[in-house]
Amino acid sequence: MNHAIHYSIIASDLAAHLFEITLTVAEPDPAGQVLCLPAWIPGSYMIREFARNIVQIRADCNGKKVALKKSDKHSWHAAPVTGALVVRYQIYAWDLSVRAAHLDQTHGFFNGSSVFLAARGHEAAAHVVDIVKPAEPACKAWRVATALPELKAKRYGFGTYIAASYDELIDHPVEYGAFALATFTAHGVPHDIVITGQVPNLDMARLQADLKKVCEAQIALFEPRSKRAPMERYLFMTLAVGDGYGGLEHRASTALICARADLPVKGRSEQSDGYRTFLGLCSHEYFHTWNVKRIKPAAFAPYALAAETHTPLLWLFEGFTSYYDDLMLVRSGVIDEPAYFKLLGKTINNVMRGSGRSKQSVAESSFDAWTKYYRQDENAPNAIVSYYTKGSLVALTLDLTIRAETAGKKSLDDVMRALWQRFGRDFYKANGGRGVTEQEVDALFDEVSGLNLRRLLDRAVRGTTDLPLKEVLAPFGVAFAPASVDTAAGLGVRTTRDGNDCKLANVYEKGVAHKAGLSAGDVLIALDGLRIQAANLNDLLHRYRAGDTVTLHAFRRDELMTFTARLALDDAPQVTLTTLEKPPALRKARNAWLGK
Ligand code: ZN
């Protein structure tokens, strides 16, 4: 343990949101130890420059000050020393998301990538962390939730934890506070659910029962015979807030943020849309335990966290995970078939809404995630496609094609299992750990299915024409029907509320507003002389029909402008999916797909 890298972390000032970290490098690099913090966190493909939150940093050796020279935005070079190098620094933790660190009187949360400087050259050593109980009275009842193995700590207690490497250390976020906790087992493996934040009458038992079904279904998907989970324990850490949504996957845990209203209430058995959304989020992050935390794109094995790391494969790692998240809910029985097709219809409508889908493929969207998908502006629907939503429809198309063309003998499940067996299962084992390339993924589809799927893959993944969804759904008794939305004219925009004002968030290409000359950011003032407010645009439009010409007034910045618009029907018709019960072969095929 002598060569281990040692940290201690303490919440030193809750009100100022400061963590105090002490890093000890027992045997620093004789040429001078380099220390650095990641620029991004795996799973969230954007440069975040976590080192900007370091407030003060100093180093010493045997009680003597050691010079630290900053060499770039996230690296420091310590002068050569003989003896242990001790580095002390403070982190400002006030990012209420799953991606960084957050600290106040209600709880503390951190990702290692936000708080633990890496000691270059020592990344493969054991990393030991003392999580010290804060002295402030507010923390008296606090406990610790992390999937990091305990070295000298009781489970859920403050104390010493250990990781086998820096990579492992930063893949185990830590939550502490006076949280609600429940434990269940899924195929023998303990799973904890931790909920921080005030949630009156939380129905933890229901959450536990539903998550158990979802987790067991996923374990059985990847290991149908042994039902062996890839981790020794798993932790769902959840922060419940007034309004929020997000999740980040890790190898043995996930950090989630959800709206309090989405969590189930004791004594109420109905299933709200919000609760389905939360279950979908849990299912999504859990699926990543296999798909991206162990089966990885070659570019992420290992992660290079100093700069952008491009891969054309996020459609597989995020898109397929998005396909399976809801699918596993219906297969495990926690949602019913109508709920599943409502969610699928929503995804289809989402993808069809933007003309960006005819300009960018999901492979391109994956590669450019750093500058486009993660940095969307008002023109995003006209310029890009989501590798999440369209990626999930790519998965649907491939799954149903394989099922139909092999008469149900093979499916996408077989492809996922092959990926798991070849690239995922041994990833963290000694001499394991190789990512998968685009070419290997392409070849695997044909090998596993026995079909020739190259043309379909090229079209779906590297092309921009619409997917043949109607055709692939038909053999499963699922038909498209126009949604029963009103047939009144639309403007071809998405609006947001700006106080009481109605502001254009997106102007869809070739829509009514675009043709009339309106722009995203314009504030609509009047329609034919009647005042437009955030709440009444649709009511005003409802009195018109396609083909009518109207006058629109809008502010662009502070200048009043007048536009003449010829109204039209919304050019992206919404669909709903309907299911057919006859002939019985359709029902049978659908049952096999949905796991009934
Ligand atoms: Zn994801």
Side-chain angles (χ1 to χ4, degrees), residues 525-542:
I525 300 299
L527 174 67
D528 278 347
L530 290 172
R531 183 175 172 188
I532 296 172
Q533 286 187 294
N536 74 348
L537 178 63
N538 284 339
D539 289 344
L540 289 174
L541 280 171
H542 199 70

Side-chain angles (χ1 to χ4, degrees), residues 57-104:
I57 182 167
R58 65 200 156 87
D60 59 68
C61 177
N62 299 321
K64 283 201 190 116
K65 190 178 172 188
V66 175
L68 278 179
K69 189 176 178 331
K70 198 157 186 190
S71 46
D72 62 37
K73 64 185 177 185
H74 44 225
S75 310
W76 286 260
H77 193 119
V81 291
T82 43
L85 179 73
V86 180
V87 186
R88 293 185 175 84
Y89 54 98
Q90 289 178 325
I91 297 280
Y92 178 64
W94 196 233
D95 178 339
L96 192 62
S97 81
V98 294
R99 301 177 294 253
H102 190 256
L103 174 69
D104 68 5

Side-chain angles (χ1 to χ4, degrees), residues 102-382:
H102 190 256
L103 174 69
D104 68 5
Q105 294 87 339
T106 66
H107 86 132
F109 170 78
F110 61 83
N111 283 288
S113 43
S114 275
V115 297
F116 296 134
L117 282 166
R120 176 123 356 121
H122 297 276
E123 290 91 342
H127 284 59
V128 172
V129 183
D130 287 332
I131 304 174
V132 183
K133 186 166 186 174
E136 298 192 31
C139 313
K140 210 170 165 199
W142 285 16
R143 296 188 286 176
V144 177
T146 178
L148 264 181
E150 301 91 358
L151 184 65
K152 265 181 266 163
K154 288 200 179 121
R155 183 140 301 173
Y156 317 119
F158 287 89
T160 308
Y161 291 78
I162 184 164
S165 64
Y166 183 76
D167 176 60
E168 185 176 312
L169 174 71
I170 65 169
D171 202 15
H172 286 84
V174 175
E175 166 77 29
Y176 49 65
F179 45 71
L181 168 72
T183 301
F184 63 89
T185 60
H187 288 309
V189 171
H191 287 57
D192 289 330
I193 315 166
V194 155
I195 306 223
T196 307
Q198 297 180 37
V199 187
N201 291 314
L202 171 64
D203 191 347
M204 202 62 139
R206 181 177 181 188
L207 193 51
Q208 237 172 303
D210 285 342
L211 284 181
K212 181 182 170 79
K213 287 183 201 157
V214 176
C215 295
E216 291 196 334
Q218 294 197 19
I219 294 168
L221 172 77
F222 284 98
E223 295 284 1
R225 255 170 294 181
S226 71
K227 310 254 188 331
R228 244 186 97 89
M231 62 294 183
E232 280 166 30
R233 56 180 290 226
Y234 191 86
L235 167 65
F236 290 94
M237 52 176 82
T238 311
L239 180 64
V241 295
D243 186 23
Y245 175 81
L248 198 58
E249 67 275 10
H250 301 282
R251 72 186 68 180
S253 60
T254 177
L256 309 166
I257 286 193
C258 73
R260 186 176 293 118
D262 290 351
L263 294 171
V265 185
K266 266 186 205 156
R268 294 204 194 126
S269 61
E270 81 281 358
Q271 189 176 62
S272 66
D273 286 349
Y275 183 46
R276 266 193 292 275
T277 301
F278 180 69
L279 289 174
L281 177 66
C282 293
S283 178
H284 180 98
E285 304 307 342
Y286 194 74
F287 197 83
H288 276 314
T289 312
W290 293 266
N291 196 33
V292 93
K293 294 314 305 190
R294 286 172 178 81
I295 308 164
K296 290 181 187 238
F300 293 173
Y303 290 118
L305 299 174
E308 293 90 340
T309 304
H310 301 282
T311 169
L313 287 173
L314 294 181
W315 57 269
L316 170 61
F317 293 98
E318 288 301 347
F320 281 33
T321 301
S322 298
Y323 172 60
Y324 276 101
D325 59 22
D326 289 339
L327 187 60
M328 296 316 287
L329 296 186
V330 68
R331 280 193 189 165
S332 61
V334 305
I335 67 169
D336 59 17
E337 196 180 284
Y340 177 69
F341 285 110
K342 202 172 142 195
L343 291 168
L344 183 57
K346 211 170 137 190
T347 305
I348 293 171
N349 288 327
N350 231 317
V351 172
M352 298 307 286
R353 175 72 270 189
S355 62
R357 72 185 198 282
S358 63
K359 296 164 197 165
Q360 192 191 44
S361 68
V362 287
E364 290 166 335
S365 179
S366 298
F367 193 89
D368 283 332
W370 302 82
T371 47
K372 295 192 173 187
Y373 185 79
Y374 265 89
R375 292 172 62 185
Q376 294 184 30
D377 61 19
E378 63 289 335
N379 197 47
N382 302 325

